[in-house]
Amino acid sequence: ASPHPRGGRAMSIYDEVEIEDMDYNAADQSYTYPCPCGDRFVILLEELYDGEDVAPCPSCTLRIRVIFDEASLPELRPPEQGDGAGGAAAAGAGA
């Protein structure tokens, strides 16, 4: 199956998902949604504010388009020190 460009971008979109159907993780300010491969599509809140609306799956080639209204997004917090991967480890440091 050849990818069909949508919205001027030459990438295939597996599905379109309303942001209300996605899971929000307030700790790392990201939205996730189950992927058929068993992993999860991921998009950061900051990416949504930057106008990005495509959430890739880190384990396969599928992508979804996120349908959202910027006015209804949670407030974007400034990034904390560290790479964010540790989450709890970086939570109290340097506050």
Side-chain angles (χ1 to χ4, degrees):
S2 62
H4 298 287
R6 287 173 63 159
R9 297 181 185 168
M11 69 171 83
S12 61
I13 299 297
Y14 166 72
D15 200 2
E16 293 189 347
V17 177
E18 297 278 346
I19 200 163
E20 293 81 12
D21 296 331
M22 300 180 75
D23 295 319
Y24 180 63
N25 180 331
D28 61 8
Q29 300 188 88
S30 67
Y31 282 91
T32 59
Y33 188 77
C35 179
C37 81
D39 204 344
R40 299 180 72 80
F41 298 102
V42 179
I43 192 164
L44 299 176
L45 181 60
E46 182 177 6
E47 293 173 319
L48 294 169
Y49 272 109
D50 287 344
E52 182 60 60
D53 65 351
V54 175
C57 173
S59 297
C60 73
T61 59
L62 295 180
R63 298 165 177 261
I64 57 170
R65 183 170 313 281
V66 181
I67 309 301
F68 69 101
D69 177 9
E70 187 173 315
S72 64
L73 291 175
E75 184 176 349
L76 184 62
R77 296 190 321 269
E80 295 182 18
Q81 295 294 335
D83 60 6

